[in-house]
Amino acid sequence: MRVHDSAIDAFREALPPVSPRSPQRDRRLDADAVIAWTARATAVGLDADPAGLREIANLAVRHGASPVLAALVADRGEPYVARLRALGRITSIFER
């Protein structure tokens, strides 16, 4: 494990035990819901809601985001900072 990965893990462990609310599966996600989910996920950790993360990534790809970036977001083996940047890139499609 690289030094910065252990520092990020320590930071995430210090976060309160609150997870982002999953995107509502029974309704169509709009741009505001995606952006709100992303803000909550970056505050408490990307892995707090893995199902919601996959749903956001899949939705972004359907709206034209890069599938490579979407796969990077969900890959827990990748550096956390890279995953955060990829999430920002794929969700930026909803801010247009």
Side-chain angles (χ1 to χ4, degrees):
M1 180 178 283
R2 291 174 283 215
V3 174
H4 68 279
D5 288 342
S6 61
I8 291 170
D9 288 341
F11 172 75
R12 287 190 345 216
E13 289 172 5
L15 291 172
V18 176
S19 65
R21 288 172 288 186
S22 292
Q24 301 292 333
R25 300 202 194 299
D26 59 341
R27 69 177 178 88
R28 183 177 170 86
L29 287 174
D30 61 358
D32 292 335
V34 170
I35 293 167
W37 185 94
T38 302
R40 285 191 302 273
T42 56
V44 299
L46 292 180
D47 299 319
D49 181 17
L53 182 62
R54 283 190 304 273
E55 187 172 339
I56 295 294
N58 291 335
L59 181 66
V61 169
R62 287 194 303 269
H63 281 85
S66 166
V68 173
L69 290 176
L72 175 65
V73 166
D75 187 351
R76 295 183 75 177
E78 293 295 331
Y80 193 75
V81 173
R83 293 175 64 206
L84 282 174
R85 292 185 71 190
L87 180 63
R89 295 283 304 270
I90 66 170
T91 56
S92 69
I93 197 166
F94 296 103
E95 294 181 345
R96 294 180 184 166

